[in-house]
Amino acid sequence: MSKFQSFGALIPYHIWMDVQVCGFIYLITNPIDHKYYIGKKSFRGGTDWRIYTGSCKPLAKDMKRIGKDKFIFEVLDYASNQRDLTLKEAMYQIQFDVLNREDFYNQNILGRFFKNKIDVI
């Protein structure tokens, strides 16, 4: 079992089976290159959240290059609805300053604020 599939063990049974919990905020750590990714995953939609790896292309490229089993996957927080899930993801990304740090894979926050984007007035 990969470390990512162990998300099932990291989320206590009473939490992930609770209908009041719609998803979680996670941190993926690349211990070789010392890079991180903060994302969210909803339990809805029929996808298998235990093997979800995020939507970030640079992260996916490194997982393929290094091997997904080398990465560390952690649950940071839970949310009871989609609004709170999105809000908590943005809060963690802002708290860790993901757009201004080179050690984060995140390229945007909410699809509106982007890394290395120059605003033209």
Side-chain angles (χ1 to χ4, degrees), residues 84 86-97 109:
D84 287 347
T86 299
L87 179 62
K88 285 183 177 189
E89 178 191 32
M91 287 172 40
Y92 276 98
Q93 290 171 339
I94 291 166
Q95 176 185 347
F96 284 94
D97 200 21
I109 295 175

Side-chain angles (χ1 to χ4, degrees), residues 2-89:
S2 77
K3 291 177 185 172
F4 190 68
Q5 290 168 328
S6 70
F7 257 152
L10 293 174
I11 300 174
Y13 181 80
H14 70 282
I15 292 177
W16 68 267
M17 288 303 291
D18 186 342
V19 294
Q20 297 301 312
V21 175
C22 80
F24 58 93
I25 308 303
Y26 60 87
L27 172 69
I28 299 175
T29 302
N30 173 341
I32 295 169
D33 295 340
H34 307 289
K35 292 187 79 171
Y36 309 91
Y37 180 79
I38 294 176
K40 69 178 178 184
K41 182 60 182 148
S42 174
F43 294 132
R44 73 177 190 175
T47 59
D48 187 349
W49 58 271
R50 292 169 296 173
I51 58 172
Y52 184 72
T53 58
S55 58
C56 177
K57 290 180 183 180
L59 172 62
K61 183 179 175 182
D62 277 356
M63 283 187 176
K64 187 174 183 176
R65 176 177 60 89
I66 297 168
K68 189 175 14 173
D69 61 322
K70 304 287 190 299
F71 287 74
I72 300 165
F73 298 79
E74 300 172 79
V75 174
L76 298 175
D77 208 342
Y78 306 95
S80 60
N81 57 57
Q82 291 297 320
R83 178 192 169 277
D84 287 347
L85 186 63
T86 299
L87 179 62
K88 285 183 177 189
E89 178 191 32

